[in-house]
Amino acid sequence: MVPLSLAQSADALNGYYTNLYGYYAALRALPWYSQILITGLLSIISSIAIPLLAFVLYYPYWIYLRPRYFSPFRNLPGPPVSEGHWFWGEAIQLINKEYGTYQTEWNRRFGGKPGQPGFIKTVGPIGLERLIVFSPTALRQIMNDYQYTKPPFASRILSQITGHGLLTVEYDVHKKMRRDLNPAFATKYLAMQYEECAPALAAMCDEFDRLIGNKDAEVINAYDVVTRALLDIICLTAFGYEVDSIHNSDEPLSKAYHTLIGLQGGGNLAALIVILSLPFGVGTAFIEGLLRKNDYWLPVLHKIASASWLFYPVSVLAEYVDSVGTIQRIAERLLAQKTAEAKALKRLQTHDASQQGKIDVLSLIIKGALDAETEAEKTNNGKTARKMDARECKAHIMTFLGAGHETTSSGVSWTIWLLANNLEVQRKLRSECLEFLAQSSSGHPSYYELRELKYLNAVVVESLRVRPSVPGTFRKSTKDSYLDGVWCPKGTYLAISSFAINTDPRVWGPDAADFVPERWLPEETHGNSSSVSAEWDPTYSYMSFIAGNHHCIGKNMAQIEMKAVLFQMITKFAWTKVSEDQTIRGDTAITMKPRGGVPVRLRRLTEEDYAAA
Ligand code: HEM
C-alpha cells in the first residue's frame, strides 16, 4: 500500500467531514420526530455495536488465545480449557455441584504432577484465570504477606454488611485492629464466657425435649434448634447481650440479623452488586446516605415498595436499611452502656474487667480502647488516642455475628449429621462424656475439663476437617511475585480450597474423605487409615481456620462452643438418620450450610443407654 502524503491525508479528512456535515444537514432537514427517531436508533445501535465489537475483539484473545498460548500459567496442571464453557469457563460446573467436588476431583486428576505439584490452574468467566493453591510453601507466603489481599470487590460487598471490621480491613489497619482485639479472645476470658452459656445450653436441650414431646422419638430438624442456641451463645459471649432466640424469635437483634442473612439469596445479592458497582462509588454513597438518615428514608422506601410489585428491589433495599439501621441503633446503645460500665470500673481502680463480670468480647475491647486512650493522654497529650465510635462498634458486632454464628452453627450441624451416619463414633463419644459425668461432682464440665475430653476434641476437629464451615477463600495478588517458584503477576486470583486441602489423599491417606476421629488420637490405630504422610504440614494441611495474618481469631471460642453443644446433646439424646438413603448437600455462599438443615430421628436416652455407656 502506497503511503498517503500529508496533503492527501488532509484532503481525505476534509472529504470525511464534508460527508459527515452532509449527513448532518440532511438529518436537520427532516421533520423533528424523524430526527428523534433516527438519532435514537443510531444511539441504540452504537451502544450495542460498540460493546459487541469490544467483545468480538476481546473474545479471541482473553477467552480463547490467552489461556491456551499466552498466559503465564498455561503450563500449570489443570482441567483443559476445552472442558469448560466457552464464556463461563469452569464457573458453571463449580456452581452446579456441591462445593469442593471439582476442587477435589481436579486435585486427584492433576495434583501432585511433576513440575508444579502445588497448583491447579482453572479458568472462570470471560477467561479469568485463577490458581488453586495446595503448596504449603506458597500458602505460607500468601497467608503471611499483606500483599495478598481479599479481592477488593468481595471486601466491598462484605463491608456493606460487616462495616470496616477485621474481616474487611487490610495492611496496617488490620494489624493494629488485630493487636487491639487479640487480648479479648484470651483463654482466661473464654473460660468465663463459657460459664455464661449454661442457660442457653439448657434452653436448647429443653427445646429438643419439647419437640420430642410424649413420643419415643421424633424427626427434628436439629439445625433449626442448634442455630438459635448458638445465636444466643455468640450474643452473650461476644457482646454480653441476651437474645433468647429459642423462646423469642421477635427479639430485634435476632430478627434484624436473620433478615440480613435472608437477603443473601441470588437475586438480592445481584441487585446489591449492581448498586455497589455503579461508577465513582455512587452506589456505596447512596446506600450510606440512606443508612445515615434511615429514620427519614425508611417510610419513603416502604411507601414506594408498597405501590407495586414492580418496586420489589426497593422493598429489598428497605429491608436492608431497616435491619442495618436496627443493628446500628443496638450498637450505639451497647457502646454507650459498655463505655459507662468500663469507666465505672476504671473509677473503682479495678484493672481486671472479669472481677466485675464484664467479660464479653465487646466489653473487653471497649475497656482496652479506654486504657489505650488514658495511656496516650499520659504520654502524648492525647494526640494518638483512639476512641471507638458507634460505626466501629457496629462493625465489630456484625463481624462477630457474621464470622462467628453461621460458621459455628454449620460446624455443629455437620457434626450431628456425621454422628447420625457413624453410630459407633456416636456411641464412643457418648461413652466418654457419660464417663466424665459419672466421675464429676459438679455434673457440668468446666472449660478446662471440656478441653481434656480427647474423643470429643477428635470428633470436633475431624468434623471441621471433612466439612469445613468455611470451605474456601480467595486472595488477590497486589504485586508481581513468585510463589513456590511459580510466576504470579499482580492481579492473580488465588483460590484456597480448605475443603480440598483438608481431604487431600496424598496427605491424609486413602481414607482422607472419611470421618475418622481416631486419626487424631495417636495412641489408637484405626484399621484402613494410614497415618498422615510425609507431605503433612502441621499448619497448611488443615485449613479450616486458615492461617497467618487473617487466621480465625475465634478458633478457640468456636471449638469450645461446638464441644459444649455436643456434650449436652450426646449426654441427653441419641439420634439416627431419618432413612437409610437420606443425604444432605452442602450449600455454599461464604459458609457451607446443610441444605434444608439436618433432619434426624431424635430420642431421649434411656436407662439402658446409661447402663450400656
Ligand atoms: C467453626 C467455626 C468457625 C470457622 C470454621 C471459622 C473460620 C474462619 C476462617 C476460614 C477465617 C478466614 C477468612 C478469610 O480470611 O478469608 C475466619 C476469620 C475470622 N473469624 Fe472465624 N471461624 C469460626 C468461628 C468464629 C467465631 C466463633 C468467631 C468469633 C467471634 C470468629 C471470628 C472471626 C474473625 C473476626 C475473622 C477475621 C480475622 C481476620 O481477618 O483477622 N470466627 N474464620
Side-chain angles (χ1 to χ4, degrees):
M1 200 168 95
V2 184
L4 292 179
S5 72
L6 202 61
Q8 283 169 322
S9 309
D11 277 351
L13 208 59
N14 217 358
Y16 172 75
Y17 280 122
T18 312
N19 280 343
L20 206 61
Y21 183 74
Y23 293 136
Y24 177 65
L27 188 68
R28 292 294 304 269
L30 293 174
W32 66 269
Y33 48 84
S34 307
Q35 283 182 36
I36 291 179
L37 195 71
I38 291 173
T39 39
L41 274 175
L42 283 176
S43 342
I44 291 172
I45 291 169
S46 59
S47 59
I48 293 173
I50 291 170
L52 204 68
L53 185 70
F55 178 71
V56 167
L57 294 176
Y58 179 88
Y59 171 71
Y61 179 68
W62 278 95
I63 301 187
Y64 189 84
L65 295 174
R66 188 172 187 277
R68 286 171 171 82
Y69 308 109
F70 299 109
S71 159
F73 312 126
R74 64 188 181 282
N75 294 324
L76 288 181
V81 183
S82 54
E83 268 186 22
H85 185 269
W86 67 273
F87 183 78
W88 296 109
E90 320 287 354
I92 303 268
Q93 280 163 280
L94 284 174
I95 291 168
N96 281 341
K97 283 268 165 107
E98 185 180 60
Y99 180 94
T101 310
Y102 276 105
Q103 288 85 342
T104 307
E105 189 199 316
W106 290 331
N107 186 28
R108 185 182 51 74
R109 274 172 69 195
F110 308 108
K113 294 278 181 300
Q116 242 333 314
F119 297 89
I120 288 174
K121 180 214 53 184
T122 66
V123 180
I126 51 168
L128 277 178
E129 290 167 304
R130 66 193 64 166
L131 300 186
I132 308 181
V133 187
F134 287 89
S135 150
T137 311
L139 287 169
R140 183 170 296 112
Q141 190 175 335
I142 295 166
M143 293 301 165
N144 290 289
D145 184 339
Y146 277 107
Q147 86 166 58
Y148 305 97
T149 63
K150 297 213 174 81
F153 190 68
S155 291
R156 213 153 20 131
I157 294 192
L158 208 56
S159 65
Q160 272 310 313
I161 312 250
T162 64
H164 297 288
L166 262 190
L167 272 175
T168 52
V169 294
E170 296 281 355
Y171 305 108
D172 285 350
V173 183
H174 177 266
K175 217 184 270 179
K176 167 95 180 54
M177 197 181 275
R178 185 91 195 198
R179 231 185 5 243
D180 290 347
L181 265 55
N182 267 336
F185 288 87
T187 304
K188 67 170 177 173
Y189 296 128
L190 275 183
M192 290 186 270
Q193 287 159 1
Y194 161 78
E195 295 299 335
E196 308 263 299
C197 301
L201 292 168
M204 175 191 76
C205 292
D206 289 349
E207 180 66 358
F208 279 130
D209 216 34
R210 188 186 70 78
L211 291 169
I212 296 172
N214 295 330
K215 303 191 182 136
D216 290 340
E218 183 61 291
V219 174
I220 286 166
N221 194 335
Y223 175 82
D224 285 347
V225 180
V226 155
T227 198
R228 284 185 283 144
L230 281 158
L231 183 65
D232 295 350
I233 289 176
I234 189 84
C235 286
L236 264 181
T237 52
F239 332 121
Y241 185 85
E242 256 178 69
V243 171
D244 191 18
S245 61
I246 290 268
H247 300 115
N248 178 12
S249 55
D250 276 344
E251 193 287 324
L253 181 63
S254 149
K255 209 169 151 191
Y257 171 69
H258 280 117
T259 308
L260 266 186
I261 297 288
L263 290 179
Q264 272 186 66
N268 301 336
L269 200 60
L272 195 61
I273 289 173
V274 169
I275 297 176
L276 292 176
S277 323
L278 293 176
F280 312 116
V282 172
T284 316
F286 171 65
I287 291 190
E288 277 172 8
L290 289 179
L291 285 173
R292 248 195 313 277
K293 293 257 175 235
N294 64 13
D295 283 351
Y296 174 78
W297 285 114
L298 201 56
V300 178
L301 292 176
H302 278 309
K303 214 168 220 145
I304 300 175
S306 62
S308 157
W309 61 267
L310 286 172
F311 295 119
Y312 173 73
V314 180
S315 76
V316 172
L317 198 60
E319 280 192 50
Y320 175 79
V321 170
D322 198 3
S323 40
V324 175
T326 304
I327 292 166
Q328 181 94 34
R329 276 192 296 279
I330 294 172
E332 278 163 21
R333 224 174 50 224
L334 279 175
L335 180 65
Q337 176 199 328
K338 285 173 187 301
T339 308
E341 284 168 0
K343 283 186 175 158
L345 283 182
K346 236 180 165 42
R347 278 197 297 277
L348 285 173
Q349 299 287 309
T350 305
H351 291 293
D352 190 351
S354 62
Q355 285 182 18
Q356 298 290 314
K358 307 297 171 205
I359 39 89
D360 58 277
V361 174
L362 198 61
S363 289
L364 294 167
I365 296 170
I366 290 173
K367 186 181 173 299
L370 274 179
D371 288 347
E373 212 178 288
T374 319
E375 190 60 28
E377 271 161 16
K378 265 196 233 148
T379 54
N380 247 340
N381 294 329
K383 272 184 200 147
T384 55
R386 191 184 67 84
K387 284 199 168 75
M388 191 195 290
D389 59 13
R391 275 166 82 94
E392 187 179 337
C393 186
K394 186 204 106 188
H396 292 322
I397 291 182
M398 283 315 295
T399 302
F400 298 153
L401 273 180
H405 174 245
E406 285 248 319
T407 45
T408 315
S409 77
S410 296
V412 172
S413 302
W414 284 120
T415 315
I416 293 172
W417 174 241
L418 290 164
L419 291 172
N421 282 269
N422 294 274
L423 296 180
E424 178 52 19
V425 175
Q426 194 182 136
R427 191 200 58 75
K428 276 174 89 170
L429 179 61
R430 181 169 302 110
S431 167
E432 180 187 63
C433 295
L434 287 177
E435 198 177 309
F436 167 84
L437 279 184
Q439 286 164 13
S440 149
S441 52
S442 72
H444 163 76
S446 71
Y447 172 87
Y448 298 99
E449 285 168 335
L450 208 53
R451 268 196 341 188
E452 291 310 309
L453 294 176
K454 289 200 173 60
Y455 201 66
L456 177 60
N457 184 58
V459 165
V460 166
V461 180
E462 178 68 350
S463 162
L464 288 169
R465 183 183 73 82
V466 289
R467 293 263 114 189
S469 321
V470 182
T473 184
F474 269 106
R475 293 293 185 265
K476 189 177 178 187
S477 163
T478 59
K479 282 190 196 143
D480 294 343
S481 60
Y482 278 94
L483 282 175
D484 196 7
V486 166
W487 173 236
C488 171
K490 178 178 171 178
T492 304
Y493 282 92
L494 302 158
I496 291 110
S497 175
S498 311
F499 188 106
I501 292 171
N502 286 1
T503 54
D504 186 344
R506 271 181 298 275
V507 174
W508 293 95
D511 63 350
D514 301 341
F515 173 66
V516 185
E518 284 73 11
R519 73 175 85 236
W520 297 96
L521 305 172
E523 66 275 18
E524 288 201 33
T525 52
H526 55 281
N528 60 348
S529 176
S530 58
S531 55
V532 290
S533 77
E535 308 222 8
W536 183 74
D537 179 293
T539 308
Y540 297 97
S541 297
Y542 182 89
M543 290 286 280
S544 303
F545 295 96
I546 67 160
N549 297 334
H550 284 279
H551 79 266
C552 176
I553 201 169
K555 176 181 173 184
N556 292 339
M557 181 189 270
Q559 289 188 338
I560 210 69
E561 285 177 8
M562 287 180 67
K563 287 178 190 177
V565 169
L566 289 165
F567 183 92
Q568 292 302 323
M569 279 193 74
I570 205 89
T571 50
K572 296 185 174 60
F573 305 98
W575 58 95
T576 56
K577 287 165 72 171
V578 175
S579 64
E580 251 331 287
D581 56 357
Q582 182 189 6
T583 55
I584 295 183
R585 185 192 150 148
D587 254 349
T588 303
I590 296 172
T591 52
M592 182 169 63
K593 288 197 296 193
R595 181 182 286 179
V598 180
V600 287
R601 192 176 302 284
L602 192 75
R603 66 171 176 83
R604 293 180 200 92
L605 293 188
T606 59
E607 287 307 319
E608 292 92 81
D609 292 310
Y610 288 113

